[in-house]
Amino acid sequence: MSTGSLQARAEGWLGNNDVRLLIALALAIGGLYALFSVVLGFQLNGTVNTLRRVAFLSAIYAMLALALNLQWGYAGLFNLGAAGFMAIGVYTMGILTAPVTASPPGFGLPLPVAIVGAILVTGIIGGLAALPAIRLRADYLAIVTVAFSEIVRLTLRAPEFANTRIAGVAFGTGGATGLSLPSNPIRVLFYTDPATTAPAPNALGAAIFSAVEPLGIEETLVIGWAYVIVLCLCLGLLYWLMIRIGKSPFGRVLKSIREDQQVTQALGKDTRLFKIKTFALGCALMGLIAIFWRLSGGYASPRMFKPIQTFYIFIALFIGGTGSPTGSIVGGALFASLLFEGPSFIRRVVAEYLQLSNAPDTLVSALAELGTLDVTPLLAYSVQDVSISALRLMLLGIVLVYLMQRHPDGLLGHRKAIASSVALSQQATREDDNE
Amino acid sequence: MAARDYYSRGQNLVYNRPVLVIFAVIGAFLVFDILRQVGTGTVAITDLMSYLWNGLVLGMSLGLAGVGLSMTYSILNFANFAHGDLITSGAFAGWATAFLIAGLGEFSVESLILIGGPIAVGSNELGINVVNTPLALLAGLLVAAVLTAALSLLLDRIVFRPMRSADGVTLMIASVGVALFLRNFLTYSFLTDSRGLTGGNVPQFTVAGVTFGGHQITLVVVAALLMLGTHILLQYTKIGTAMRAMAANKDLAKVTGIPTERVVKLTWIIGGGLTGCAGFLIALQQGTLTVTMGWDLLLLVFAAVILGGVGSIYGAMVGGVILGLASRLALVWIPASFLLVAAFVIMIVMLLVRPSGLFSGRTTA
């Protein structure tokens, strides 16, 4: 009984204030991974690096979920081709920035110009793709967009475009081997000449590096955290933008399209145009976020843009709840920290504490050992690279089915941003509780 | 008079369906271009013939794999993204059986059940092919059908039945979850090794420079027989009539007294069985098996089903064959790395121009 009221109080305290909710979530995830690091006996540098990785992925998936929420949660456009638009953004940026002399050659433009160019290209292609696709039913739109993203991926992978020359301009996608991207732009803050391999730190860099050096924290980690902080600022900006869009006349039209397209049309709104604009904007955002994602790795390859990437974002979105920006951030953070990164940490804990012998070659021999009531061979088999990643994806599948069966609107789906500007439900007695 | 009729009908077509006319013109141009290239000798006639034969083989695979997808799409009203992994499941179940029967006594049960994989069973030593070990293959085909039907029923019971009233998009997303689970369950059990399946001397016939592989012929013949059987089942039996009634109008079917839940079960059984057969035969024809086989085929199968018209069995068959032929013939103009791209483009164009497919208006006939 007391736990129930405690839960109700906690829900009341967190549920009414989004900022509190997000801070509590960040602290909980941070605490969990700090605990993992302690259990695994990491040094300070390793602990801070673990936290950086989780924070980085959480921020990226939160932003991607926000962009997808604009299309699916607000306008009801089922875009199963997110990975394709992400690839277009990253590759446009990569090709525009690659030096003219490099192999494959590019256009040698500065990074900011290339990012603007990539946003424009992704947005325009998104708009063009939406032009005919918008008429389709949701399930056909899903199939068309997933086919589109595969077309993009196969084209980027094709050897014919790996290093090509069209109309006298030489450029290339690098084919199946991938494309090098410019180094992390955040390095400008810390180094005098960030483009070189072993650059000298500038005044700020020298001050910070020498301050953290006694703690055993490396330069790359400082840079990584600086990048994560910038990403979190971007996430905050995007969150604010989504809330603004949601409350603006434009956003209200989108939500009314989601609820009933014909009524919206009857009110004199050109729903087609609204949908195309939303689709283009969402795609451009995905392109930009994918650039943030890949800039930290300095490398892109077609393998990273398989349909599974789209499903990851959808799982993040559905965990949080469609139609609510706060839900998208919660979903992105929970997905990245628990489902995406969690299993590999559990595996490391298992490997650390249960002196596992060599893994059996096959599941059959691992199961055969169960006859002698010895579970360690099965555990050893399960924590191999291939099996743990398969188990992780099986878990994702189960989560997706569970969410669709029990909570098709997600954890915060009950807070779906309503279409009207005033809360109608407070005046009327709530007859439609399923909304 | 007649000429004027034709003229005005043509005029109407151009005004009302300009996109359709444009694509028809492009299509006609491409056919003309093939004939021209063959005429001038740029493309050898034997090349063209083998494109056509390989296209037919691919088309029959896609058609057979598509019948089950088309049935569930029309009767349960959702795009089943787990269908590709049902194909793979059928292939693994069937081939484990075939390996067991062909190699029992010679190799360890463990290695046979895992179809080689981590422990190498030389597929050449087993020598499975349609002449050497027809019984093992027949048993494999049957087990593939039965186990895939059982798996479909189980999935329906656990996943889809509790959400019968949900809308198509929700069911589709749930099926993505099922697909992830199935594929990775296979990965977990069998690991990611690519498996060689057939061995020995597979008979093949060369007629006028075109090679007809024995397993290709097997696939085409068995697929044609299975499709014929499905046609007879749907057209001339009571259960077939009930299925068609349900696909046409679910509420009306229920009111008429058709036991809809039983029809749904039978749909999964028949669709799942055909899907398992498709998986087994496609693996036989390819001679190799990986855990991503079905998932890699899924979009092509969707393309075949949509091209023919969702819900139409003939549509799935004809759509598969057209898609197979078109994508192989596309090799006349484009490099092989764009083969899939061509097939997807055909599907997208079809959805935009005629979303109801070639056999529109017919459901499960």
Side-chain angles (χ1 to χ4, degrees), chain A residues 72 78 80 132-133 135-140 142-144 146-148 150-151 154-155 158-161 307-308 311 314-315 318 361-365 378 381-382 384 386-387 389-391 393-398 400-401 404-405 408, chain B residues 73 77-79 81 110 113-114 118-119 158-160 162-163 169-170 172-178 180-185 187-192 295 299 302 306 310 335-338 340-341 344-345 347-348 351-353 355-356:
Chain A
W72 171 237
F78 201 82
L80 216 47
R135 291 179 298 144
L136 298 171
R137 278 164 34 188
D139 51 345
Y140 282 0
I143 295 170
V144 164
V146 79
F148 174 81
E150 282 293 89
I151 291 176
L154 292 168
T155 309
E160 283 77 13
F161 289 129
I308 185 75
F311 300 149
F314 265 101
I315 293 171
F318 285 128
D361 287 335
T362 67
L363 183 62
V364 176
S365 18
L378 185 62
Y381 177 83
S382 302
Q384 297 175 101
V386 183
S387 3
S389 100
L391 285 174
L393 290 163
M394 280 161 71
L395 175 70
L396 286 183
I398 294 172
L400 205 48
V401 170
M404 288 303 107
Q405 283 191 345
Chain B
Y73 208 150
N77 272 323
F78 76 100
F81 271 73
E110 179 187 8
I113 260 185
L114 292 170
I119 327 164
I158 298 173
V159 179
F160 299 119
M163 36 196 317
V169 172
T170 311
M172 180 174 77
I173 299 164
S175 78
V176 170
V178 174
L180 273 177
F181 180 86
L182 274 185
R183 184 163 67 259
N184 288 288
F185 180 72
T187 311
Y188 178 74
S189 314
F190 290 89
L191 303 177
T192 48
W295 175 252
L299 269 181
F302 264 122
I306 287 168
V310 171
S337 46
F338 285 91
L340 282 174
V341 173
F344 296 158
V345 169
M347 171 177 81
I348 292 180
L351 270 178
L352 298 178
V353 179
S356 51

Side-chain angles (χ1 to χ4, degrees), chain A residues 5-17 20:
Chain A
S5 68
L6 201 66
Q7 192 191 354
R9 270 174 61 192
E11 271 176 12
W13 189 73
L14 293 171
N16 295 328
N17 188 324
R20 271 191 219 158

